[in-house]
């Protein structure tokens, strides 16, 4: 019958939205940046310009996507970033898959380079990580919009879920 299939559809959508929101929730306030955007982690990208386009907050993530046969992801100090010295990395994030995740879990400056000479060609990234502004004060426009987006998403999914559960109970 038409009505009962509508009910099932609403229930299914409601549950699906709930599940999606639950899975997404921990990630929404923290942002994951693909380093270099569509270009990824490679030569011929000016990462100073790329980083200047973003604001990095505590809890965000960097995602390095690159050719695992040629490049790597090393965190170095400022001096070694400037001189492209890969001999004493502070942290080697290279896992071998060409897909490495770096949690920006401290408010400080981070310096990354690729070794084997690629750093000299510009494969180096400096990221300045700052504290998240409190949601209610929200002086930073781009960031407050993240919270607004979460709230409206939550509201919509709540309405849908309640409707679906209502439908389910009234079968
Ligand atoms: C910076 O952002 C602007 C606007 O989104 C974009 O057009 C530009 O290509 C970006 N520049 C870099 C280096 O990513
Ligand atoms: C970075 O590490 C090198 C040793 O690899 C050291 O000589 C240099 O002073 C350090 N620079 C900073 C800014 O800590
Ligand atoms: C970083 O780790 C990878 C994978 O364990 C390893 O192959 C590579 O030699 C390391 N690089 C440096 C500079 O330590
Ligand atoms: C931050 O993440 C790095 C890499 O996973 C880890 O080694 C370090 O202990 C973490 N620091 C804090 C303060 O959580
Ligand atoms: C990136 O662009 C900036 C601004 O145009 C420039 O000063 C800098 O030298 C460039 N870096 C590289 C590695 O090309």
């Amino acid at each position: 019958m038409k009505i009962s299939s509508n009910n099932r559809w609403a229930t299914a959508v409601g549950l699906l939205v709930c599940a999606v929101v639950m899975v997404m929730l921990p990630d929404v306030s923290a942002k994951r940046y693909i380093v270099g955007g569509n270009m990824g982690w490679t030569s011929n990208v000016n990462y100073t310009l790329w980083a200047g386009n973003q604001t990095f907050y505590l809890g965000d993530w960097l995602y390095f996507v690159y050719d695992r046969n040629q490049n790597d992801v090393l965190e170095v100090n400022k001096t070694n970033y400037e001189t492209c010295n890969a001999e004493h990395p502070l942290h080697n994030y290279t896992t071998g898959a060409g897909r490495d995740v770096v949690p920006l879990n401290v408010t400080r400056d981070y310096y990354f380079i690729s070794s084997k000479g690629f750093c000299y060609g510009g494969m180096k990234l400096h990221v300045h990580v700052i504290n998240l502004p409190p949601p209610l004060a929200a002086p930073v426009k781009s960031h407050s919009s993240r919270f607004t987006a979460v709230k409206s998403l939550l509201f919509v999914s709540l309405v849908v879920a309640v409707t679906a559960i209502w439908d389910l109970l009234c079968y």
Side-chain angles (χ1 to χ4, degrees), residues 77-80 85 88:
N77 70 14
K78 188 168 190 279
T79 313
N80 291 335
N85 183 349
H88 308 283

Side-chain angles (χ1 to χ4, degrees), residues 13-34:
V13 170
L15 292 176
L16 186 68
V17 170
C18 273
V20 167
V21 167
M22 277 176 181
V23 168
M24 281 173 54
L25 215 50
D27 281 350
V28 176
S29 61
K31 197 167 169 181
R32 191 189 67 167
Y33 291 94
I34 297 175

Side-chain angles (χ1 to χ4, degrees), residues 14 17-18 21 151-165:
V17 170
C18 273
V21 167
K151 274 186 203 152
S152 51
L153 185 64
L154 265 178
F155 181 73
V156 169
S157 63
L158 263 179
V159 169
V160 174
V162 165
T163 310
I165 289 164

Side-chain angles (χ1 to χ4, degrees), residues 30-109:
K31 197 167 169 181
R32 191 189 67 167
Y33 291 94
I34 297 175
V35 174
N38 291 338
M39 295 293 288
W41 181 233
T42 181
S43 26
N44 308 319
V45 175
N46 186 325
Y47 291 100
T48 308
L49 290 179
W50 177 79
N53 239 3
Q54 348 274 342
T55 308
F56 300 96
Y57 291 106
L58 182 65
D60 286 347
W61 303 76
L62 293 180
Y63 188 41
F64 290 84
V65 178
Y66 58 96
D67 179 352
R68 68 192 170 115
N69 296 316
Q70 297 206 61
N71 305 122
D72 52 10
V73 179
L74 303 176
E75 186 186 349
V76 295
N77 70 14
K78 188 168 190 279
T79 313
N80 291 335
Y81 164 85
E82 281 160 1
T83 58
C84 285
N85 183 349
E87 304 225 331
H88 308 283
L90 299 175
H91 205 303
N92 179 359
Y93 284 99
T94 317
T95 56
R99 303 273 185 278
D100 297 323
V101 168
V102 176
L104 301 174
N105 54 7
V106 181
T107 50
R108 62 173 171 88
D109 290 292

Side-chain angles (χ1 to χ4, degrees), residues 16 43 52 71 102 109-111 116 129 132 135-136 148 159:
L16 186 68
S43 26
N71 305 122
V102 176
D109 290 292
Y110 287 77
Y111 300 92
K116 297 175 216 142
V129 177
L132 200 65
L136 286 178
T148 314
V159 169

